[in-house]
Amino acid sequence: MNTLAAPPSQAPEMPAAPSAAHRPQLDAKPGAITLITFVGLLAAGLLFTAWSLVGDVTASGAPVTTWVPYILLGVALLIALGFEFVNGVHDTANAVATVIYTHSLPPNFAVVWSGFFNFLGVLVSSGAVAFGIIALLPVELILQVGSGAGFAMVFALLIAAIIWNLGTWWLGLPASSSHTLIGSIIGVGVANALMHGRDGTSGVDWAQATKVGYSLLLSPMVGFGCAALLLLVLRAFVKNRALYEEPKGSTPPPWWIRGLLILTCTGVSFAHGSNDGQKGMGLIMLILVGTVPMAYALNRAMPANETVKFVAVAEMAQNALNRKAPTALPALEPAAARDALSTYVRTREFNDRVVPALAVTAGSIGQQVRQHGSLAAVPAEAVANVRNDMYLASEAIRHLDKSGAAKFDDETKLRVNTFRQELDSATRFIPLWVKIAVAIALGLGTMIGWKRIVVTVGEKIGKTHLSYAQGASAELVAMCTIGAADMYGLPVSTTHVLSSGVAGTMTASGSGLQMSTLRNLALAWVLTLPVAMALSGSLYWLFTRLF
C-alpha cells in the first residue's frame, strides 16, 4: 500500500526548538574558585548580619530579660533572607535568558553579572516599595508584631511564599515572587479577621491591595504590548535581516546589538534588585521593630535640630486639627484616641471621633519627643508606644488624604501632610546592614538553579529560537517598566513583564506561541494568589496555636 506524504502546507505545525548547534551550553559546571567565593560571601553575609544586629542591640541599651524573642528574631531573619535567596533563584532567568539565548554572554558569566547588579540595585533602593508592602498587613498585627501572633504572621507569609516559589521553580514555571508574597499577606489578613470573628474582607487594606493588584495585572500587558510595538518599530527602521533571525551557531550578535542586550540585562537585574529586594527589607524591618523596638522602632540617627523641627510641626498639625474637630465632643484621652485611630485605619469608616483623635495623638507624640529631647533619648519602655502612635497617625492621615472624608482646607492639609512626612522620616528607615544582608541573599540566589526557567523563557514561549531583536525588545521594555514602578513605589512582577514581553515579540514577528507553555504560565498566574492565600492562612492558624 502506498503512503502519500502530506503537502508541506498541511503538515502539522511543530515547535521549532533550538538545534544542538544553536542551543547555548547550559550544563557547564562552576569552577572551584566560584564555589569558594560563593560560600565565602554567604558566610560573610550571615556573620555581618549577626555582628550588626548585636552591635545595634548593645548600643541601644535594651535590657535582655529572656533570650526567647532573640531566638525567634534570628529564625525570622533567616527565613526572610531565605525568601530573598529563593526570589533570586526563581527570578534570575528574567534577566539572563535573552543574553544567554542570543549568545551575548556565556551562561555562568551572565548569572554572576546579573547577581552583581541585583546586589547593587538593592543597595540603592529607596524603600518606598518596602513600606508599601507593609501597608497591606493587618494593622493590629503591625502594632503587636513582637507578640506571638506577630511572629506567626511573619513566619506564615514568608514560608508560604517560599513553598510556592520553590514549587513553580521545580516545574520550570516563571511565576511571580511579588504575586506570591502579596497573596501570602492577604491570606494572613483574611485568616486573622476570621479568627477574631470578623468578616474576612476586613483583614486587608483593599485599597492598597487593589493598587498593587492593578500594577501586577497591567505590567504584563505593558510588557506584551510595548515589546511587540518596539520590535515592529525596530523592523521598520533597522533593515539588517540578521537581527530578526536566530543566531548562527554560537556566534555572538553584532557589537551594537550585543551591547544593547548586555545593557538591558544589566538594567533588568538592577531594577529587579531595587524592586524585589525591598519586599524582604520591609518584612525584616517589621521583625526588628517588633522584637528590638529600642534599636529599630525610631530613627535614632535623627539630629537634634531635626527633633526641634519635628516637635514644632506636630504642634502646628495639632492646632490645625483642633480647629477642624467637632466642638460638641468630649475630650479624648490618649488611649481612647489611639483606639479610635486604630479602628479607623482598620475599617476605613470615618466618624466624628477621627479628627479629634488625630489631634490628640499628634499632641501626645510632640509632647513625648519634646520631653525626652530627641528620638534617641526616648526610654525603652516608651519606644513601642511612641512608634505605634506615629504609625497610626501616619496611616490615618494617608487614608484621610486619599478619601477626602475630613474635608480639610488647603492650609490644614498642608500642615497635616507635613506632619506625616516628619512621622515617616522618624519611623520609615532602613539600616545599611539590612540592605547589605538582603543584597547578598538576593545576589547569591541569582547564581543558583537558574537553568529550569531560563529554558522555559528561551525555548518554550515561542515556536522559534529567540532572535537578537526579540531579546533586546523584551529586555528593554522590562527594564523601563520595572524602573518606573520602583520610582512610584509599586511592586511589579519582573517575571510577568519579561515573559509577556518575549511572547509579545514572538507574536509581532509572526513566530507563533507554544500554547501549552502559555496555558501553564496562565495557570500559574491564576493559581498563585489563591494558593498563596490558602497556604499562608493555614500556616498562620497553625503557628498561632504554637506560639
Side-chain angles (χ1 to χ4, degrees):
M1 186 173 69
N2 294 332
T3 302
L4 296 178
S9 61
Q10 299 176 10
E13 187 178 9
M14 298 294 290
S19 65
H22 297 162
R23 196 174 192 270
Q25 298 299 313
L26 302 176
D27 298 320
K29 302 296 181 182
I33 295 178
T34 303
L35 291 175
I36 292 170
T37 303
F38 180 90
V39 173
L41 287 172
L42 182 61
L46 292 174
L47 289 174
F48 176 70
T49 300
W51 177 78
S52 301
L53 184 60
V54 170
D56 285 349
V57 172
T58 303
S60 71
V64 179
T65 57
T66 175
W67 287 102
V68 174
Y70 294 94
I71 294 173
L72 291 174
L73 169 62
V75 174
L77 286 176
L78 285 175
I79 295 174
L81 292 174
F83 166 76
E84 285 298 338
F85 186 88
V86 172
N87 189 351
V89 171
H90 194 277
D91 288 5
T92 313
N94 304 304
V96 302
T98 55
V99 291
I100 289 174
Y101 271 84
T102 56
H103 304 295
S104 298
L105 288 176
N108 285 332
F109 183 84
V111 295
V112 172
W113 181 269
S114 176
F116 177 71
F117 282 95
N118 267 280
F119 176 89
L120 290 183
V122 177
L123 290 185
V124 303
S125 58
S126 64
V129 173
F131 296 107
I133 288 290
I134 290 177
L136 290 170
L137 295 167
V139 61
E140 61 266 31
L141 292 182
I142 293 178
L143 299 180
Q144 303 174 29
V145 73
S147 65
F151 278 112
M153 170 189 70
V154 172
F155 288 158
L157 65 91
L158 284 173
I159 292 173
I162 289 172
I163 290 172
W164 183 247
N165 272 351
L166 286 177
T168 52
W169 165 80
W170 181 258
L171 296 172
L173 295 176
S176 166
S177 297
S178 302
H179 204 168
T180 304
L181 180 60
I182 290 164
S184 298
I185 291 172
I186 294 174
V188 167
V190 171
N192 180 69
L194 292 174
M195 289 166 61
H196 288 83
R198 301 196 305 268
D199 182 354
T201 59
S202 66
V204 179
D205 182 351
W206 290 109
Q208 182 71 8
T210 301
K211 177 182 176 183
V212 170
Y214 278 138
S215 68
L216 289 173
L217 177 65
L218 293 177
S219 55
M221 298 180 186
V222 170
F224 184 95
C226 291
L229 181 62
L230 182 58
L231 180 66
L232 294 175
V233 170
L234 194 63
R235 293 184 70 162
F237 289 97
V238 181
K239 300 300 184 181
N240 187 342
R241 291 186 60 185
L243 298 179
Y244 311 105
E245 299 174 351
E246 67 180 55
K248 306 301 182 185
S250 58
T251 305
W255 67 269
W256 66 272
I257 197 73
R258 187 181 190 185
L260 178 60
L261 284 161
I262 294 173
L263 175 64
T264 53
C265 167
T266 304
V268 170
S269 301
F270 185 86
H272 176 261
S274 180
N275 196 281
D276 276 42
Q278 293 191 58
K279 296 153 192 171
M281 287 192 288
L283 294 171
I284 287 174
M285 287 308 300
L286 195 64
I287 297 165
L288 293 173
V289 166
T291 311
V292 199
M294 188 62 189
Y296 299 106
L298 300 175
N299 188 355
R300 298 165 61 84
M302 180 181 284
N305 62 329
E306 287 293 321
T307 304
V308 173
K309 176 186 174 185
F310 180 93
V311 173
V313 169
E315 290 178 349
M316 286 190 290
Q318 180 188 19
N319 293 333
L321 289 165
N322 279 331
R323 288 194 294 270
K324 297 298 177 182
T327 56
L329 292 178
L332 291 172
E333 294 295 324
R338 188 179 301 119
D339 290 341
L341 288 186
S342 179
T343 301
Y344 172 64
V345 170
R346 177 170 55 82
T347 65
R348 311 291 184 275
E349 295 177 359
F350 181 79
N351 56 60
D352 288 343
R353 290 166 55 89
V354 173
V355 174
L358 185 56
V360 170
T361 303
S364 174
I365 292 169
Q367 182 181 0
Q368 292 181 77
V369 174
R370 181 177 61 248
Q371 176 184 348
H372 300 297
S374 69
L375 295 181
V378 177
E381 61 274 13
V383 166
N385 282 338
V386 173
R387 197 265 178 189
N388 284 348
D389 284 351
M390 289 182 174
Y391 172 79
L392 285 174
S394 176
E395 287 297 289
I397 294 170
R398 179 170 72 88
H399 292 304
L400 287 173
D401 185 52
K402 185 184 300 183
S403 67
K407 296 181 174 58
F408 291 148
D409 56 45
D410 290 342
E411 180 183 358
T412 303
K413 186 180 296 185
L414 175 63
R415 293 190 176 185
V416 169
N417 285 332
T418 302
F419 179 49
R420 184 190 170 202
Q421 292 172 7
E422 292 294 323
L423 293 173
D424 289 348
S425 67
T427 56
R428 299 191 174 196
F429 66 100
I430 299 174
L432 180 61
W433 73 263
V434 173
K435 287 190 173 186
I436 292 175
V438 170
I440 292 174
L442 186 64
L444 292 181
T446 63
M447 303 176 196
I448 300 293
W450 46 270
K451 179 181 173 181
R452 291 178 181 273
I453 297 177
V454 162
V455 171
T456 298
V457 174
E459 299 183 18
K460 298 181 180 180
I461 293 178
K463 292 182 177 180
T464 60
H465 192 290
L466 196 71
S467 71
Y468 305 133
Q470 288 171 334
S473 299
E475 287 273 21
L476 185 60
V477 167
M479 178 182 72
C480 296
T481 302
I482 300 164
D486 191 41
M487 290 175 59
Y488 290 99
L490 295 173
V492 298
S493 167
T494 306
T495 303
H496 289 164
V497 176
L498 194 281
S499 57
S500 62
V502 171
T505 61
M506 291 290 178
T507 302
S509 64
S511 304
L513 300 172
Q514 296 194 42
M515 298 311 297
S516 60
T517 300
L518 292 186
R519 280 194 297 269
N520 289 337
L521 293 176
L523 186 63
W525 192 89
V526 170
L527 290 179
T528 291
L529 197 64
V531 170
M533 289 173 61
L535 277 173
S536 64
S538 301
L539 288 173
Y540 176 70
W541 177 86
L542 176 63
F543 291 154
T544 53
R545 299 297 185 269
L546 299 178
F547 291 120

